[in-house]
Amino acid sequence: MSEVLVVVDHVDGAVKKPTYELLAIAARLGEPSAVFIGPAAQGDAVAEAVKAYGAEKVYVVDDAQIKGYLVAPKAEALEQLVARTSPAAVLIPSSAEGKEVAARLAIKTSSGLITDAIDVQEGPVTTQSVFAGNFTVTAKVTQGTPIITVKPNSAAPVEAAGAGVVEQFDAVISDAAKTAQIVASQPRQSTGRPELTEAAIVVSGGRGTGGNFEPVENFADSMGAAVGASRAAVDSGWKPHTFQVGQTGKTVSPQLYVAAGISGAIQHRAGMQTSKTIIAVNKDEEAPLFELVDFGVVGDLHSVLPAATEQIIARKG
Amino acid sequence: MNIVVCVKYVPDATADRQFESDNTVDRVGVDGLLSELDEYAVEQALQIKEKRDGEEITVTALCVGPEKGVDAVRKALQMGADKGVHVVDDAIAGSDAIATSLVLAKAIEKIGPVDLVVTGMASTDAAMSVVPAMLSERLGLPQVTQASVVETQGNQVRIKRDGDSATEVIGGTMPLVLSVTDQSGEARYPSFKGIMAAKKKPLETLSLSDLGVDAGQVGLAAAWTAVEETAARPPRTAGEIVKDEDGSGATALVEFLASKKFI
């Protein structure tokens, strides 16, 4: 059975959940191999983590020549690994960086590229949600090695004992790949809440908050949810751009999406329409988002959310 | 200094977008326009030119797309770009991002030695956001992408961006490929003067043979991916909507959450 390469999504060696989702998908297509690009010293710990989710092999690509530069060196390393392993597919998390690495890898290896898959089945046949979630498209790569970027929450992680054989892979990084440099990096301050794109529940606030996100945040915390914002809220300076859900922000596909004070412009719907269950709270009963909801409350979020928060906390005892 | 801005002609995102029977995007039945996110690219190119007052800078708007794609070029000229280049060829229809990036790269090479290639963060139709990285790869130029703030000094470019896990400052040396987000600054509206001036600006139309691209390398048949099926999403069944009266909204909301086992 051919290998399927899964690029490990991690922060400083801490493996993130989308990696396990990709390993579950890889097992449908062939033999899952994890590719860890990071400090070689962290390789064993990463291997321990991914082998519990079925990784048969773990390629450790030391990032001494890669760190501090943008995506070009990562694409070079992967190109060399693809040449070496002739995988059945390469699966990469659908982050901004993941998509750029995939784009370069596709050109380098003369391979077709599919981005933002929400499902991948044998073939591989991918499913994507396009046009603001109004269409579902299935597609296939017809040339080269299928290179597929997959959105978070597209598969459930499956615990499976893999061999987890660690192999150091020495990539040769050209000087040409090191032409754009990360001059400074300020890690995102942790809010203590789940990460927006990975969260099972997302609570977003919009123009209707009037800039007061406290009811939204308290409600989110009572539900163990991530907090998001509409573009109107971001453009008003109430929340940083990293909170934005929508076409030019993050796309989310949680089990539950709660939109508070958000009317639901098409650009916002593009970022959340694939959520499994949708709830809206809005004073304006004409808000287009009400057309999409499973449950809606026509009312002021400033009174509805705090009262709901209180009841949820009481129920949880 | 030569700046090329890539502008895509896309079906209006607020219109009812459809697919053709061959699973390509319907670009005829739906009104098209300059991709909104490319307006930010045009804006940044113009700002760079304005900030570097005194230097000789040419901003060229480049579009690869159907006949009507010339509208996207015209809009960029009206905003203030100096020249337009429109690559149009029947063979291009149905091209994937890989082929589109090939034609763009060949056109950029033909336009001449270029210092900056500026693009939007993504198109508003396919929204893959991979073309900037593909252009960088094909042209052998550095990429600085997803910029919310752009600064240039001499041949140095510095951008700020909200990365996946950090806010970063990225630096590179021209020539390079730059992509900008909608956080980079409101795009200007064409003024009446700009609209009139655009009519006199040079607008060149090129075919694939002008670029030395074989028709067999582009189009639907040459795409490295194939769409098998497109299906309109089934309409959501109407949900329950309650009016909040005397705090009943919160209670109903909590009951709904409990019934779905979210709490």
Side-chain angles (χ1 to χ4, degrees), chain A residues 37 85 206 233 255 272 307:
Chain A
I37 300 175
T85 58
Q255 296 298 318
M272 47 65 73

Side-chain angles (χ1 to χ4, degrees), chain B residues 164-186:
Chain B
D164 292 323
S165 56
T167 298
E168 297 166 321
V169 177
I170 314 283
T173 306
M174 288 189 227
L176 56 70
V177 176
L178 162 72
S179 82
V180 303
T181 73
D182 58 343
Q183 303 292 304
S184 58
E186 231 14 73

Side-chain angles (χ1 to χ4, degrees), chain A residues 168-212:
Chain A
Q168 303 291 330
F169 183 79
D170 295 321
V172 182
I173 307 301
S174 70
D175 287 341
K178 298 184 197 165
T179 46
Q181 229 175 337
I182 301 169
V183 179
S185 180
Q186 179 82 48
R188 177 116 333 113
Q189 252 181 342
S190 170
T191 56
R193 297 191 178 99
E195 207 171 302
L196 195 49
T197 51
E198 296 167 23
I201 303 176
V202 173
V203 182
S204 292
R207 200 188 301 274
T209 62
N212 176 13

Side-chain angles (χ1 to χ4, degrees), chain B:
Chain B
M1 179 165 141
N2 278 319
I3 303 177
V4 171
V5 192
C6 299
V7 293
K8 189 173 183 185
Y9 181 77
V10 298
D12 187 348
T14 58
D16 211 1
R17 293 172 291 181
Q18 300 291 338
F19 284 96
E20 302 271 16
S21 56
D22 65 354
N23 291 334
T24 59
V25 175
D26 174 6
R27 294 181 191 277
V28 179
V30 183
D31 281 344
L33 73 180
L34 166 61
S35 175
E36 184 208 330
L37 294 170
D38 292 344
E39 290 185 13
Y40 296 90
V42 176
E43 177 62 35
Q44 282 307 307
L46 297 174
Q47 283 194 21
I48 290 166
K49 178 173 170 162
E50 286 158 4
K51 282 181 197 155
R52 299 173 69 121
D53 193 24
E55 288 180 51
E56 196 166 310
I57 296 177
T58 305
V59 176
T60 305
L62 166 65
C63 175
V64 172
E67 294 282 349
K68 283 168 82 182
V70 73
D71 289 354
V73 181
R74 286 217 178 91
K75 174 85 184 275
L77 294 176
Q78 290 169 353
M79 288 173 72
D82 303 297
K83 281 187 353 186
V85 174
H86 181 206
V87 183
V88 55
D89 200 304
D90 288 345
I92 293 171
S95 293
D96 60 1
I98 305 244
T100 303
S101 70
L102 171 72
V103 180
L104 281 169
K106 292 288 184 191
I108 290 164
E109 280 165 0
K110 178 155 179 100
I111 287 167
V114 161
D115 301 282
L116 259 181
V117 176
V118 191
T119 73
M121 61 183 285
S123 67
T124 56
D125 52 354
M128 290 177 78
S129 73
V130 294
V131 166
M134 287 180 173
L135 279 178
S136 157
E137 182 71 35
R138 289 195 184 276
L139 295 167
L141 300 179
Q143 68 172 88
V144 293
T145 51
Q146 305 272 341
S148 57
V149 178
V150 179
E151 280 164 14
T152 74
Q153 194 165 44
N155 63 352
Q156 298 298 306
V157 178
R158 273 192 181 215
I159 65 153
K160 202 183 218 177
R161 69 174 187 184
D162 291 322
D164 292 323
S165 56
T167 298
E168 297 166 321
V169 177
I170 314 283
T173 306
M174 288 189 227
L176 56 70
V177 176
L178 162 72
S179 82
V180 303
T181 73
D182 58 343
Q183 303 292 304
S184 58
E186 231 14 73
R188 67 192 66 186
Y189 287 105
S191 63
F192 178 71
K193 209 176 130 200
I195 292 169
M196 294 314 286
K199 294 182 180 175
K200 297 195 187 102
K201 289 177 179 172
L203 202 165
E204 191 179 2
T205 305
L206 299 173
S207 66
L208 286 179
S209 61
D210 293 329
L211 301 178
V213 176
D214 188 272
Q217 289 177 280
V218 300
L220 189 59
W224 294 352
T225 48
V227 171
E228 307 223 301
E229 242 176 54
T230 63
R233 186 195 170 89
R236 280 186 175 261
T237 44
E240 187 190 349
I241 294 180
V242 300
K243 283 202 172 151
D244 180 42
E245 279 152 10
D246 310 325
S248 63
T251 307
L253 173 59
V254 172
E255 271 164 18
F256 176 81
L257 290 172
S259 74
K260 296 284 181 189
K261 307 222 184 310
F262 287 115
I263 47 175

